[in-house]
Amino acid sequence: MGDDATMHAADAARDYYNCADVDGFYTSVWGGEDIHTGVYEHPDEPVARATRRADAEVASRVADLLGPGRTVLDLGSGYGGAARYLAQSFGCRVVALNISDVQNRRHRALNARHGLDALIDVVTGSFDDIPAPNGRFDVVWTQEALVHSGDRAHMLSEAVRVLAPGGALVLTDVMAADDTHQEALRPVCERLNVTDFPTPDFVRIQLARLGLGQVRFDDLSENLLPHYARLTEQVRRSGEELTGAVGEEYLDRLRANLPLWVHACEDGLLSWGIFHGRR
């Protein structure tokens, strides 16, 4: 893809996450810490608990590279839930690169509240042009961000570029299943302001092309249905409470769109899991 597509996708992601309605949804319904898919022990588990468990699952793939003196780059860091988890649990330094000023302000405020300012550096910028030299980081960590890139092959090449020798890339995203026709997911995509999803095969091929070794995909797609069922139910039950956080028009869009995610999960059209590999 060209620069125009990359810039358009970056602008779309910035507009989406800076939107007051979207911010209200992620803060009120999704928990305002981790805004990615959760790992569920039972279907009725709170979203915030399941998303924090997902952080622990992702970290377990690269635990040998985490700890004091290690540095992690979190691409598309959102409100910083994962960055705080890593800093608190392992004592590593985290550079959190994120395009949304709205999210970054909340991220910095939460870091200060938890006394983690010294370990987390929140940087406003795009993961398509990482402001760091080659080989800078022990771990590059990204959750549910690849979908927002206008040039996903380039984003992955940037992630690998800044990895130190022996470093690890760890990635999660909601993806189209490899045998899914993207057209079937167009209505689902609408909420995220994107036109399509990456696929597991695409990520595998790109990481192999970039020379990453020991690449594995741990398929955890069974968590998608409980996750989107929980979100759909919370929006349905919390409608009146949400009117103070999101506008009525956006709330109507959520009520129409989230069930589409549930149906797509039930039909096996989506995939989610943890990619990890070593440089």
Side-chain angles (χ1 to χ4, degrees):
M1 292 188 183
D3 290 341
D4 288 347
T6 301
M7 291 177 61
H8 176 76
D11 289 342
R14 184 186 299 106
D15 291 346
Y16 175 72
Y17 286 110
N18 279 345
C19 172
D21 285 332
V22 172
D23 184 55
F25 168 60
Y26 282 119
T27 302
S28 302
V29 176
W30 215 298
E33 280 275 347
D34 298 294
I35 55 173
H36 49 73
T37 305
V39 172
Y40 288 79
E41 289 186 345
H42 56 83
D44 296 327
E45 190 166 21
V47 171
R49 186 182 302 163
T51 53
R52 179 44 50 94
R53 184 178 296 111
D55 291 338
E57 281 289 328
V58 175
S60 71
R61 274 57 175 186
V62 291
D64 60 308
L65 296 174
L66 302 174
R70 298 289 194 171
T71 305
V72 178
L73 173 64
D74 184 0
L75 293 178
S77 53
Y79 298 118
R84 284 185 293 280
Y85 171 79
L86 291 168
Q88 261 181 333
S89 300
F90 299 96
C92 52
R93 297 189 61 84
V94 182
V95 175
L97 182 66
N98 196 56
I99 202 166
S100 166
D101 293 316
V102 170
Q103 290 184 332
N104 290 347
R105 284 195 295 271
R106 177 178 170 84
H107 185 168
R108 293 186 184 101
L110 289 169
N111 292 347
R113 187 182 305 170
H114 291 282
L116 295 170
D117 305 69
L119 286 176
I120 303 172
D121 184 17
V122 181
V123 178
T124 301
S126 170
F127 43 55
D128 292 309
D129 185 17
I130 298 172
N134 295 351
R136 170 70 177 82
F137 299 98
D138 298 295
V139 173
V140 174
W141 170 296
T142 180
Q143 293 169 284
E144 268 76 337
L146 181 65
V147 68
H148 290 292
S149 174
D151 189 340
R152 292 164 184 162
H154 177 69
M155 177 187 166
L156 292 173
S157 72
E158 276 287 276
V160 172
R161 176 183 69 79
V162 298
L163 266 182
L169 170 68
V170 62
L171 174 154
T172 73
D173 216 324
V174 176
M175 296 171 281
D178 287 320
D179 58 353
T180 296
H181 292 291
Q182 291 280 356
E183 195 62 34
L185 293 172
R186 295 270 184 194
V188 178
C189 290
E190 184 271 336
R191 182 179 62 80
L192 295 178
N193 209 12
V194 300
T195 57
D196 63 8
F197 291 98
T199 65
D201 272 353
F202 169 81
V203 178
R204 286 190 193 94
I205 290 168
Q206 295 304 319
L207 295 183
R209 181 182 66 82
L210 293 166
L212 220 59
Q214 305 175 49
V215 174
R216 287 187 54 186
F217 176 55
D218 300 328
D219 191 338
L220 303 173
S221 300
E222 68 274 9
N223 291 284
L224 286 169
L225 180 56
H227 184 73
Y228 283 98
R230 287 292 293 148
L231 292 174
T232 301
E233 178 64 11
Q234 284 184 226
V235 168
R236 186 189 68 79
R237 290 172 53 191
S238 307
E240 291 185 4
E241 299 170 28
L242 281 175
T243 53
V246 304
E248 191 62 38
E249 182 180 347
Y250 183 74
L251 187 54
D252 287 342
R253 288 171 56 196
L254 284 176
R255 290 172 178 145
N257 182 265
L258 287 174
L260 300 180
W261 285 78
V262 173
H263 297 325
C265 296
E266 291 172 335
D267 293 341
L269 301 181
L270 295 171
S271 178
W272 183 78
I274 304 171
F275 272 100
H276 49 107
R278 303 278 168 141
R279 185 169 187 186

mmCIF file of all heavy atoms in Angstrom, residues 244-275:
data_model
loop_
_atom_site.group_PDB
_atom_site.id
_atom_site.type_symbol
_atom_site.label_atom_id
_atom_site.label_comp_id
_atom_site.label_asym_id
_atom_site.label_seq_id
_atom_site.Cartn_x
_atom_site.Cartn_y
_atom_site.Cartn_z
ATOM 1 N N GLY A 244 -24.988 8.936 29.781
ATOM 2 C CA GLY A 244 -24.130 10.018 30.253
ATOM 3 C C GLY A 244 -22.730 9.936 29.694
ATOM 4 O O GLY A 244 -22.003 10.935 29.705
ATOM 5 N N ALA A 245 -22.336 8.751 29.215
ATOM 6 C CA ALA A 245 -20.974 8.552 28.721
ATOM 7 C C ALA A 245 -20.892 8.593 27.202
ATOM 8 O O ALA A 245 -19.860 8.974 26.646
ATOM 9 C CB ALA A 245 -20.422 7.216 29.222
ATOM 10 N N VAL A 246 -21.964 8.181 26.517
ATOM 11 C CA VAL A 246 -21.985 8.176 25.052
ATOM 12 C C VAL A 246 -23.306 8.771 24.582
ATOM 13 O O VAL A 246 -24.309 8.753 25.294
ATOM 14 C CB VAL A 246 -21.813 6.751 24.477
ATOM 15 C CG1 VAL A 246 -20.545 6.097 24.997
ATOM 16 C CG2 VAL A 246 -23.019 5.874 24.783
ATOM 17 N N GLY A 247 -23.288 9.293 23.369
ATOM 18 C CA GLY A 247 -24.495 9.862 22.799
ATOM 19 C C GLY A 247 -25.503 8.787 22.406
ATOM 20 O O GLY A 247 -25.154 7.629 22.181
ATOM 21 N N GLU A 248 -26.763 9.179 22.320
ATOM 22 C CA GLU A 248 -27.829 8.227 22.005
ATOM 23 C C GLU A 248 -27.643 7.610 20.628
ATOM 24 O O GLU A 248 -27.885 6.414 20.434
ATOM 25 C CB GLU A 248 -29.189 8.917 22.085
ATOM 26 C CG GLU A 248 -30.370 7.967 22.026
ATOM 27 C CD GLU A 248 -30.390 6.977 23.194
ATOM 28 O OE1 GLU A 248 -30.043 7.369 24.323
ATOM 29 O OE2 GLU A 248 -30.752 5.800 22.951
ATOM 30 N N GLU A 249 -27.178 8.402 19.665
ATOM 31 C CA GLU A 249 -26.963 7.864 18.317
ATOM 32 C C GLU A 249 -25.881 6.796 18.327
ATOM 33 O O GLU A 249 -26.030 5.738 17.699
ATOM 34 C CB GLU A 249 -26.578 8.994 17.361
ATOM 35 C CG GLU A 249 -26.377 8.526 15.923
ATOM 36 C CD GLU A 249 -26.005 9.662 14.981
ATOM 37 O OE1 GLU A 249 -26.131 10.841 15.380
ATOM 38 O OE2 GLU A 249 -25.564 9.374 13.845
ATOM 39 N N TYR A 250 -24.778 7.053 19.030
ATOM 40 C CA TYR A 250 -23.703 6.056 19.109
ATOM 41 C C TYR A 250 -24.167 4.819 19.867
ATOM 42 O O TYR A 250 -23.819 3.697 19.499
ATOM 43 C CB TYR A 250 -22.471 6.653 19.776
ATOM 44 C CG TYR A 250 -21.287 5.695 19.814
ATOM 45 C CD1 TYR A 250 -20.565 5.410 18.666
ATOM 46 C CD2 TYR A 250 -20.923 5.064 20.995
ATOM 47 C CE1 TYR A 250 -19.486 4.540 18.687
ATOM 48 C CE2 TYR A 250 -19.839 4.192 21.029
ATOM 49 C CZ TYR A 250 -19.133 3.932 19.878
ATOM 50 O OH TYR A 250 -18.080 3.055 19.907
ATOM 51 N N LEU A 251 -24.968 5.019 20.915
ATOM 52 C CA LEU A 251 -25.488 3.885 21.666
ATOM 53 C C LEU A 251 -26.360 3.000 20.774
ATOM 54 O O LEU A 251 -26.278 1.766 20.831
ATOM 55 C CB LEU A 251 -26.285 4.398 22.867
ATOM 56 C CG LEU A 251 -26.772 3.364 23.880
ATOM 57 C CD1 LEU A 251 -25.626 2.505 24.399
ATOM 58 C CD2 LEU A 251 -27.475 4.068 25.038
ATOM 59 N N ASP A 252 -27.165 3.615 19.925
ATOM 60 C CA ASP A 252 -27.975 2.837 18.976
ATOM 61 C C ASP A 252 -27.078 2.056 18.021
ATOM 62 O O ASP A 252 -27.372 0.898 17.674
ATOM 63 C CB ASP A 252 -28.892 3.767 18.182
ATOM 64 C CG ASP A 252 -30.050 4.310 19.008
ATOM 65 O OD1 ASP A 252 -30.356 3.716 20.072
ATOM 66 O OD2 ASP A 252 -30.629 5.333 18.598
ATOM 67 N N ARG A 253 -25.970 2.663 17.590
ATOM 68 C CA ARG A 253 -25.043 1.960 16.701
ATOM 69 C C ARG A 253 -24.397 0.770 17.403
ATOM 70 O O ARG A 253 -24.218 -0.296 16.806
ATOM 71 C CB ARG A 253 -23.976 2.930 16.199
ATOM 72 C CG ARG A 253 -24.487 3.940 15.175
ATOM 73 C CD ARG A 253 -23.443 5.003 14.885
ATOM 74 N NE ARG A 253 -22.180 4.427 14.438
ATOM 75 C CZ ARG A 253 -21.037 5.092 14.417
ATOM 76 N NH1 ARG A 253 -20.992 6.352 14.834
ATOM 77 N NH2 ARG A 253 -19.932 4.503 13.985
ATOM 78 N N LEU A 254 -24.054 0.941 18.677
ATOM 79 C CA LEU A 254 -23.505 -0.179 19.439
ATOM 80 C C LEU A 254 -24.502 -1.316 19.542
ATOM 81 O O LEU A 254 -24.151 -2.490 19.375
ATOM 82 C CB LEU A 254 -23.117 0.274 20.850
ATOM 83 C CG LEU A 254 -21.841 1.093 21.016
ATOM 84 C CD1 LEU A 254 -21.695 1.509 22.476
ATOM 85 C CD2 LEU A 254 -20.619 0.318 20.557
ATOM 86 N N ARG A 255 -25.739 -0.965 19.844
ATOM 87 C CA ARG A 255 -26.780 -1.998 19.986
ATOM 88 C C ARG A 255 -26.991 -2.761 18.683
ATOM 89 O O ARG A 255 -27.330 -3.945 18.701
ATOM 90 C CB ARG A 255 -28.092 -1.350 20.425
ATOM 91 C CG ARG A 255 -28.079 -0.832 21.856
ATOM 92 C CD ARG A 255 -29.329 -0.035 22.137
ATOM 93 N NE ARG A 255 -29.392 0.437 23.508
ATOM 94 C CZ ARG A 255 -29.920 1.590 23.881
ATOM 95 N NH1 ARG A 255 -30.440 2.422 22.961
ATOM 96 N NH2 ARG A 255 -29.951 1.946 25.141
ATOM 97 N N ALA A 256 -26.775 -2.087 17.552
ATOM 98 C CA ALA A 256 -26.930 -2.755 16.259
ATOM 99 C C ALA A 256 -25.681 -3.528 15.869
ATOM 100 O O ALA A 256 -25.767 -4.610 15.267
ATOM 101 C CB ALA A 256 -27.267 -1.720 15.179
ATOM 102 N N ASN A 257 -24.487 -2.994 16.201
ATOM 103 C CA ASN A 257 -23.245 -3.577 15.703
ATOM 104 C C ASN A 257 -22.725 -4.721 16.547
ATOM 105 O O ASN A 257 -22.246 -5.734 16.001
ATOM 106 C CB ASN A 257 -22.170 -2.486 15.582
ATOM 107 C CG ASN A 257 -20.867 -3.014 15.020
ATOM 108 O OD1 ASN A 257 -19.971 -3.369 15.772
ATOM 109 N ND2 ASN A 257 -20.778 -3.086 13.698
ATOM 110 N N LEU A 258 -22.767 -4.612 17.871
ATOM 111 C CA LEU A 258 -22.164 -5.653 18.719
ATOM 112 C C LEU A 258 -22.780 -7.036 18.494
ATOM 113 O O LEU A 258 -22.042 -8.033 18.483
ATOM 114 C CB LEU A 258 -22.240 -5.250 20.187
ATOM 115 C CG LEU A 258 -21.264 -4.131 20.600
ATOM 116 C CD1 LEU A 258 -21.520 -3.706 22.037
ATOM 117 C CD2 LEU A 258 -19.811 -4.578 20.429
ATOM 118 N N PRO A 259 -24.105 -7.149 18.305
ATOM 119 C CA PRO A 259 -24.641 -8.486 17.993
ATOM 120 C C PRO A 259 -24.069 -9.082 16.704
ATOM 121 O O PRO A 259 -23.991 -10.314 16.575
ATOM 122 C CB PRO A 259 -26.151 -8.245 17.878
ATOM 123 C CG PRO A 259 -26.400 -7.049 18.744
ATOM 124 C CD PRO A 259 -25.188 -6.173 18.542
ATOM 125 N N LEU A 260 -23.652 -8.237 15.760
ATOM 126 C CA LEU A 260 -23.025 -8.752 14.539
ATOM 127 C C LEU A 260 -21.713 -9.448 14.865
ATOM 128 O O LEU A 260 -21.353 -10.440 14.224
ATOM 129 C CB LEU A 260 -22.786 -7.605 13.545
ATOM 130 C CG LEU A 260 -24.007 -6.826 13.065
ATOM 131 C CD1 LEU A 260 -23.583 -5.740 12.088
ATOM 132 C CD2 LEU A 260 -25.029 -7.762 12.414
ATOM 133 N N TRP A 261 -20.976 -8.895 15.848
ATOM 134 C CA TRP A 261 -19.749 -9.542 16.295
ATOM 135 C C TRP A 261 -20.061 -10.906 16.915
ATOM 136 O O TRP A 261 -19.339 -11.886 16.679
ATOM 137 C CB TRP A 261 -19.022 -8.658 17.313
ATOM 138 C CG TRP A 261 -18.332 -7.483 16.722
ATOM 139 C CD1 TRP A 261 -18.913 -6.309 16.308
ATOM 140 C CD2 TRP A 261 -16.943 -7.350 16.456
ATOM 141 N NE1 TRP A 261 -17.956 -5.463 15.809
ATOM 142 C CE2 TRP A 261 -16.739 -6.067 15.897
ATOM 143 C CE3 TRP A 261 -15.843 -8.174 16.654
ATOM 144 C CZ2 TRP A 261 -15.483 -5.608 15.532
ATOM 145 C CZ3 TRP A 261 -14.583 -7.724 16.289
ATOM 146 C CH2 TRP A 261 -14.418 -6.456 15.729
ATOM 147 N N VAL A 262 -21.116 -10.971 17.696
ATOM 148 C CA VAL A 262 -21.502 -12.242 18.315
ATOM 149 C C VAL A 262 -21.818 -13.271 17.234
ATOM 150 O O VAL A 262 -21.339 -14.414 17.276
ATOM 151 C CB VAL A 262 -22.708 -12.045 19.250
ATOM 152 C CG1 VAL A 262 -23.228 -13.391 19.753
ATOM 153 C CG2 VAL A 262 -22.319 -11.156 20.435
ATOM 154 N N HIS A 263 -22.604 -12.868 16.228
ATOM 155 C CA HIS A 263 -22.958 -13.806 15.151
ATOM 156 C C HIS A 263 -21.726 -14.238 14.369
ATOM 157 O O HIS A 263 -21.597 -15.408 13.990
ATOM 158 C CB HIS A 263 -23.980 -13.161 14.215
ATOM 159 C CG HIS A 263 -25.285 -12.830 14.864
ATOM 160 N ND1 HIS A 263 -25.858 -13.612 15.852
ATOM 161 C CD2 HIS A 263 -26.140 -11.776 14.680
ATOM 162 C CE1 HIS A 263 -26.987 -13.072 16.245
ATOM 163 N NE2 HIS A 263 -27.187 -11.966 15.543
ATOM 164 N N ALA A 264 -20.808 -13.308 14.121
ATOM 165 C CA ALA A 264 -19.581 -13.660 13.395
ATOM 166 C C ALA A 264 -18.751 -14.662 14.183
ATOM 167 O O ALA A 264 -18.151 -15.588 13.614
ATOM 168 C CB ALA A 264 -18.764 -12.394 13.110
ATOM 169 N N CYS A 265 -18.717 -14.497 15.514
ATOM 170 C CA CYS A 265 -18.007 -15.462 16.365
ATOM 171 C C CYS A 265 -18.686 -16.828 16.317
ATOM 172 O O CYS A 265 -18.024 -17.867 16.204
ATOM 173 C CB CYS A 265 -17.947 -14.955 17.808
ATOM 174 S SG CYS A 265 -17.005 -13.434 18.032
ATOM 175 N N GLU A 266 -20.010 -16.824 16.410
ATOM 176 C CA GLU A 266 -20.763 -18.084 16.371
ATOM 177 C C GLU A 266 -20.558 -18.817 15.048
ATOM 178 O O GLU A 266 -20.528 -20.055 15.016
ATOM 179 C CB GLU A 266 -22.250 -17.802 16.588
ATOM 180 C CG GLU A 266 -22.593 -17.344 17.994
ATOM 181 C CD GLU A 266 -24.026 -16.893 18.129
ATOM 182 O OE1 GLU A 266 -24.637 -16.480 17.114
ATOM 183 O OE2 GLU A 266 -24.547 -16.928 19.262
ATOM 184 N N ASP A 267 -20.383 -18.057 13.973
ATOM 185 C CA ASP A 267 -20.215 -18.652 12.643
ATOM 186 C C ASP A 267 -18.762 -18.978 12.323
ATOM 187 O O ASP A 267 -18.459 -19.446 11.215
ATOM 188 C CB ASP A 267 -20.766 -17.698 11.571
ATOM 189 C CG ASP A 267 -22.280 -17.541 11.656
ATOM 190 O OD1 ASP A 267 -22.938 -18.409 12.269
ATOM 191 O OD2 ASP A 267 -22.803 -16.538 11.114
ATOM 192 N N GLY A 268 -17.855 -18.728 13.258
ATOM 193 C CA GLY A 268 -16.446 -19.058 13.043
ATOM 194 C C GLY A 268 -15.746 -18.183 12.032
ATOM 195 O O GLY A 268 -14.743 -18.597 11.427
ATOM 196 N N LEU A 269 -16.218 -16.939 11.851
ATOM 197 C CA LEU A 269 -15.639 -16.056 10.849
ATOM 198 C C LEU A 269 -14.416 -15.299 11.353
ATOM 199 O O LEU A 269 -13.666 -14.736 10.550
ATOM 200 C CB LEU A 269 -16.689 -15.035 10.380
ATOM 201 C CG LEU A 269 -17.975 -15.605 9.770
ATOM 202 C CD1 LEU A 269 -18.891 -14.464 9.336
ATOM 203 C CD2 LEU A 269 -17.665 -16.523 8.596
ATOM 204 N N LEU A 270 -14.224 -15.284 12.677
ATOM 205 C CA LEU A 270 -13.150 -14.499 13.271
ATOM 206 C C LEU A 270 -12.145 -15.397 13.978
ATOM 207 O O LEU A 270 -12.462 -16.524 14.375
ATOM 208 C CB LEU A 270 -13.719 -13.493 14.273
ATOM 209 C CG LEU A 270 -14.621 -12.400 13.697
ATOM 210 C CD1 LEU A 270 -15.298 -11.619 14.813
ATOM 211 C CD2 LEU A 270 -13.811 -11.458 12.798
ATOM 212 N N SER A 271 -10.943 -14.875 14.139
ATOM 213 C CA SER A 271 -9.877 -15.605 14.814
ATOM 214 C C SER A 271 -9.183 -14.655 15.778
ATOM 215 O O SER A 271 -9.091 -13.448 15.521
ATOM 216 C CB SER A 271 -8.883 -16.143 13.775
ATOM 217 O OG SER A 271 -7.800 -16.813 14.395
ATOM 218 N N TRP A 272 -8.674 -15.203 16.872
ATOM 219 C CA TRP A 272 -7.906 -14.401 17.828
ATOM 220 C C TRP A 272 -6.923 -15.318 18.561
ATOM 221 O O TRP A 272 -7.234 -16.471 18.847
ATOM 222 C CB TRP A 272 -8.822 -13.737 18.849
ATOM 223 C CG TRP A 272 -8.089 -12.846 19.820
ATOM 224 C CD1 TRP A 272 -7.626 -11.585 19.590
ATOM 225 C CD2 TRP A 272 -7.717 -13.164 21.168
ATOM 226 N NE1 TRP A 272 -6.998 -11.090 20.717
ATOM 227 C CE2 TRP A 272 -7.039 -12.035 21.690
ATOM 228 C CE3 TRP A 272 -7.895 -14.281 21.985
ATOM 229 C CZ2 TRP A 272 -6.529 -11.998 22.990
ATOM 230 C CZ3 TRP A 272 -7.388 -14.256 23.281
ATOM 231 C CH2 TRP A 272 -6.727 -13.114 23.770
ATOM 232 N N GLY A 273 -5.761 -14.791 18.818
ATOM 233 C CA GLY A 273 -4.769 -15.577 19.540
ATOM 234 C C GLY A 273 -3.499 -14.786 19.695
ATOM 235 O O GLY A 273 -3.449 -13.576 19.441
ATOM 236 N N ILE A 274 -2.434 -15.471 20.110
ATOM 237 C CA ILE A 274 -1.163 -14.828 20.415
ATOM 238 C C ILE A 274 -0.094 -15.301 19.428
ATOM 239 O O ILE A 274 0.251 -16.493 19.395
ATOM 240 C CB ILE A 274 -0.711 -15.160 21.855
ATOM 241 C CG1 ILE A 274 -1.792 -14.771 22.865
ATOM 242 C CG2 ILE A 274 0.603 -14.451 22.166
ATOM 243 C CD1 ILE A 274 -1.515 -15.259 24.269
ATOM 244 N N PHE A 275 0.415 -14.373 18.624
ATOM 245 C CA PHE A 275 1.596 -14.627 17.808
ATOM 246 C C PHE A 275 2.830 -14.267 18.612
ATOM 247 O O PHE A 275 2.871 -13.244 19.292
ATOM 248 C CB PHE A 275 1.595 -13.766 16.546
ATOM 249 C CG PHE A 275 0.870 -14.381 15.375
ATOM 250 C CD1 PHE A 275 -0.417 -14.000 15.048
ATOM 251 C CD2 PHE A 275 1.504 -15.348 14.597
ATOM 252 C CE1 PHE A 275 -1.080 -14.562 13.975
ATOM 253 C CE2 PHE A 275 0.846 -15.919 13.516
ATOM 254 C CZ PHE A 275 -0.452 -15.538 13.204
#
